[in-house]
Amino acid sequence: MTAPPAPGFWASYREAWKRVPGSAVYLLAVFVLAMAAVGVLAGLFWTGVGLLILVIGLPLIVLTLLIARGFGVADRFLLQLTGLPAIDEPTWSRDAPDATGFWATLTRPIRNAHYWTYLVHGMVVSPIVSTISFALTVTWLSVGLGGLTYWFWGLFLPRTDGGRWGRYVADSVPLFSGWNGWAVEVVLYLLAGLVFTFTMPWVLGGLARAHHGIARGLLGRWRSDDLAAEVRAEAAARGAAVHAEDVALRRLERDIHDGPQQRLVRLQMDLAALERRAEAGDGDAAAELAREARGHAKAALDELRALSSGVAPPLLQDRGLAAALTALAAGAPLSVHVDVDPAIDQAASPEIARTAYFTVAELLTNAIKHSAAAAATLTASLRPATDEALGMLDIWVVDNGRGGARFAPGHGLEGLRERVAGLRGALVVDSPAGGPSAISIHIPLPAPAVS
């Protein structure tokens, strides 16, 4: 696939001109913002440093850092006028969730490097850069616009020198020989205005990009912020997975206790009674007890098989997620329309497949038990990976029940959400009262290993 042709010179020049008004407004406004910032921040900060020996010094420095953050956010907001890409918000707190004491809260800005870079930007960097860019912006705007219109507003200026410098140019430059001084001035101003106006998109655009580059380094999000967010997400996913696994084990233990264990106890009692009847020679009673014992043994075996399929369904292990979801829909006591992409078998790891299978099974059960649905649609597909995001396994379960499903602590949907969150995924519920209910599962797929 060939790349699209690059735009021509005049097309790119027109696009650059579209950004000139916003860049000009930004370059003028940011100078005012920078002067206000350096006045406020320098006074507060050095006062706080001088009063550090007293208790009031530390709160003053913290206040300075918070105000510096406000000035930095305002600068980033004004940068949107230039049409350049938005600068991502940095992470303002990396403290542990339990760090809520007075001193931890008070000193949080001091322990965050972003506050200090915002202070340096507002108190040192921005005033210097803004002063230079302001001078150049005013020069280009005044010469460009003033030169093009000098023929009009120059008529109203007092001419105390009688057009001396214009006559001097006419006498010195053969091109203007014989011209009067006013005409020479108009032409020279017009030429200067044309040059400055023609170069204005590049000059103002370059100044805006310089501000944007500095702001991206000092006011933007760092790679360490993304890494810290990744660590927090991993910790949250691990905690959710542990909690979901604990809930599943407790439920399995309860199911075993209430089902197979009770039947095996009854089977043991029947066998003991059968032994006594056999010793007493009561054949009919012994045969009846044997039949009851066989029934209890069969029931216990069926329950154990059901529980074992809940731990690891054989069909999921043998034939993959697509076949397991299809069989799950076929065995559900409601009409389920299935649209499953077979490619999910290769993309989903065993952990992802197992979580997806049990989540769908629980959702179909809830559709029957709580929503009184008569029909549902099960869709599973893959979302391809991009340069910015991993691939995703997307599953939707939509039923025609009465709706009203929502997350509640200790209830089924909350447990499913925690189980999906253990894989860094999300469970989204859209279930208005009266239905229909649409519940989607989105699980990121691991990036393929590079050989």
Side-chain angles (χ1 to χ4, degrees), residues 104-396:
T105 304
L106 177 64
T107 60
R108 184 174 295 134
I110 297 177
R111 292 180 283 107
N112 190 311
H114 284 295
Y115 283 95
W116 291 101
T117 58
Y118 271 59
L119 179 64
V120 171
H121 179 271
M123 200 167 67
V124 179
V125 177
S126 184
I128 296 174
V129 177
S130 298
T131 301
I132 298 172
S133 64
F134 178 79
L136 292 174
T137 301
V138 170
T139 300
W140 249 258
L141 290 175
S142 58
V143 175
L145 300 179
L148 293 177
T149 58
Y150 179 74
W151 58 271
F152 173 75
W153 59 266
L155 295 173
F156 302 97
L157 295 178
R159 306 181 63 80
T160 56
D161 61 351
R164 184 182 309 166
W165 77 272
R167 290 196 305 273
Y168 173 78
V169 172
D171 296 338
S172 303
V173 180
L175 180 64
F176 299 108
S177 178
W179 291 36
N180 62 49
W182 167 248
V184 172
E185 289 181 11
V186 169
V187 171
L188 292 179
Y189 273 112
L190 182 62
L191 290 175
L194 288 173
V195 172
F196 276 72
T197 302
F198 185 77
T199 58
M200 192 178 297
W202 300 320
V203 174
L204 299 191
L207 294 174
R209 283 191 292 272
H211 276 272
H212 184 271
I214 293 171
R216 185 172 55 191
L218 294 177
L219 307 181
R221 189 175 182 84
W222 299 341
R223 175 60 179 162
S224 59
D225 292 328
D226 296 330
L227 294 176
E230 186 77 13
V231 170
R232 289 193 297 271
E234 289 289 351
R238 185 166 55 251
V242 170
H243 184 266
E245 192 68 21
D246 181 66
V247 171
L249 289 175
R250 290 180 181 275
R251 185 169 67 175
L252 179 61
E253 179 183 5
R254 184 179 64 250
D255 291 342
I256 292 176
H257 178 273
D258 295 341
Q261 180 175 326
Q262 298 300 323
R263 292 191 179 277
L264 291 175
V265 170
R266 176 63 185 274
L267 176 61
Q268 183 182 16
M269 296 173 60
D270 288 344
L271 290 176
L274 175 61
E275 182 180 4
R276 290 194 298 271
R277 291 290 189 274
E279 292 176 351
D282 190 350
D284 294 337
E288 181 63 26
L289 287 173
R291 285 190 292 272
E292 291 181 6
R294 186 176 63 181
H296 288 304
K298 183 179 182 301
L301 181 60
D302 291 339
E303 291 182 355
L304 286 174
R305 285 174 176 169
L307 290 174
S308 66
S309 66
V311 175
L315 184 61
L316 179 62
Q317 293 182 339
D318 297 338
R319 298 180 55 190
L321 179 60
L325 291 178
T326 303
L328 183 65
L334 77 165
S335 175
V336 181
H337 174 72
V338 180
D339 183 10
V340 177
D341 185 357
I344 64 176
D345 289 339
Q346 298 296 327
S349 65
E351 294 79 8
I352 293 176
R354 189 162 52 248
T355 298
Y357 176 85
F358 290 123
T359 305
V360 171
E362 190 71 19
L363 292 177
L364 291 177
T365 301
N366 290 343
I368 302 167
K369 184 187 301 184
H370 303 296
S371 191
T377 300
L378 170 60
T379 306
S381 62
L382 293 176
R383 196 187 317 170
T386 63
D387 294 336
E388 293 79 18
L390 295 172
M392 298 285 287
L393 171 62
D394 298 319
I395 301 176
W396 291 269

